Amino acid sequence: MGRVQRLIALCVAGVLALMAIFFFQPGGDDALGRLRKTGVVRIGYAVEAPFAVLGDIGEITGEAPEIARHVVERLGISHIEWHQVELGGLIPELRAGRIDVIAAGLFITPERAEKVLFSRPTMAVRQAMLVPAGNPRGLRSYMEMAGRWDIAVAVLAGSIEDTLMARLGVAGGRLLRVPDALTGRRAVETGLADALLLSEPSLRWMLSRGEPARLEVAVDDELESGLPAFAFRLDEPKFRDVWDEALAAYLGSEEHLAMLASFGLSWTPPATQKTGG
């Protein structure tokens, strides 16, 4: 093969490689078209009731997955492939292209919005604390706890509470990072932590299925309500936008309100906003 032929062959190979990157990369402007063609969308979740719950036979349900099912049907995608991931691993899995959407009641924060695109919020949620019955340490707010050196708190690793406590200077033995809410509850019950910091709906769900006489929920009225939402890759704004359109048509509907009631939730409409795109 002559020099010209080798040059042509190299050029052709380069073009084919670029085409492969364009058509087969996980992101791209035509993410919805790609998902409709394959018929499968990969949705990541972390178990945190009532936002994401494992049912009696292991099926995934909860506020975020049930909304996702409705939206996916409206978008014309025939099948959902569910991926259970610890909370702190959801955004890395999304950015690596191993899942297409996060449906886990993930709260919108500025730090997360630098890494993912968020949909409109699905509700407004108050922050709270799980404490021993009678609240013997008199805990009323996250800010107060951060300033008390005699208080140890449990948080889910990678959660908004984890970020907030670290930002307020809570570290070392005062900050116990746990993989899930049940482990956090055990930490409070055994005295390893004075409180588990989590959203009010999650903590009330937990007490409704445990021994409420031993624990109680204290709500932080000082913090602004958190805004849970779905998350998407940064290079898929069109996919996020069409998801958002279907979401807007569903939120507040009779079907949506009935679904929330089945998980002991009521709808607090958030101010319409999108963070990160």
Side-chain angles (χ1 to χ4, degrees), residues 49 130 181-182 185-186 189 201-217:
L130 185 70
L182 179 59
R185 173 183 179 141
R186 296 294 181 232
E189 290 176 330
S202 295
L203 293 179
R204 295 204 183 282
W205 174 280
M206 185 183 298
L207 284 194
S208 72
R209 284 152 178 78
E211 300 176 23
R214 299 175 57 186
L215 301 167
E216 67 180 59
V217 175

Side-chain angles (χ1 to χ4, degrees), residues 186-204:
R186 296 294 181 232
V188 177
E189 290 176 330
T190 59
L192 288 175
D194 297 295
L196 168 64
L197 310 187
L198 207 56
S199 71
E200 182 185 12
S202 295
L203 293 179
R204 295 204 183 282

Side-chain angles (χ1 to χ4, degrees), residues 4 23 36 40 54 60 65 72 85 109 132 159 164 195 229 238 267 270:
V4 174
F23 285 109
R36 282 173 172 164
V40 178
L54 289 178
I60 177 63
V72 166
V85 183
T109 68
S159 67
L164 179 58
K238 291 183 179 179
W267 192 48

Side-chain angles (χ1 to χ4, degrees), residues 87-110:
L87 181 64
L90 283 168
I91 289 179
E93 287 291 294
L94 179 68
R95 286 163 60 89
R98 289 186 284 270
I99 57 177
D100 303 301
V101 185
I102 295 174
L106 195 69
F107 280 21
I108 298 172
T109 68

Side-chain angles (χ1 to χ4, degrees), residues 17-183:
L18 289 173
M19 290 176 64
I21 293 172
F22 179 79
F23 285 109
F24 297 106
Q25 64 180 340
D29 284 341
D30 194 27
L32 180 58
R34 172 176 55 82
L35 296 174
R36 282 173 172 164
K37 184 175 181 180
T38 63
V40 178
V41 59
R42 300 163 300 169
I43 299 183
Y45 69 96
V47 175
E48 183 187 333
F51 300 108
V53 185
L54 289 178
D56 295 335
I57 58 174
E59 76 280 12
I60 177 63
T61 184
E63 184 260 358
E66 292 304 326
I67 294 177
R69 285 190 172 98
H70 175 87
V71 172
V72 166
E73 182 179 357
R74 286 192 57 132
L75 295 184
I77 304 170
S78 58
H79 180 68
I80 298 175
E81 185 179 288
W82 297 102
H83 291 250
Q84 183 176 343
V85 183
E86 286 189 1
L87 181 64
L90 283 168
I91 289 179
E93 287 291 294
L94 179 68
R95 286 163 60 89
R98 289 186 284 270
I99 57 177
D100 303 301
V101 185
I102 295 174
L106 195 69
F107 280 21
I108 298 172
T109 68
E111 294 85 358
R112 288 171 175 168
E114 293 178 357
K115 300 175 182 178
V116 300
L117 295 178
F118 281 106
S119 70
R120 68 180 61 236
T122 59
M123 63 170 59
V125 178
R126 296 193 298 176
Q127 299 298 127
M129 301 150 276
L130 185 70
V131 297
N135 195 2
R137 308 303 298 273
L139 304 178
R140 298 299 175 192
S141 74
Y142 288 16
M143 186 67 73
E144 175 201 359
M145 286 186 289
R148 288 181 55 175
W149 293 95
D150 61 329
I151 298 297
V153 298
V155 296
L156 271 62
S159 67
I160 188 172
E161 295 83 9
D162 185 359
T163 300
L164 179 58
M165 287 294 105
R167 187 185 298 147
L168 292 173
V170 181
R174 297 181 58 217
L175 186 63
L176 177 62
R177 292 184 170 95
V178 297
D180 52 55
L182 179 59
T183 306

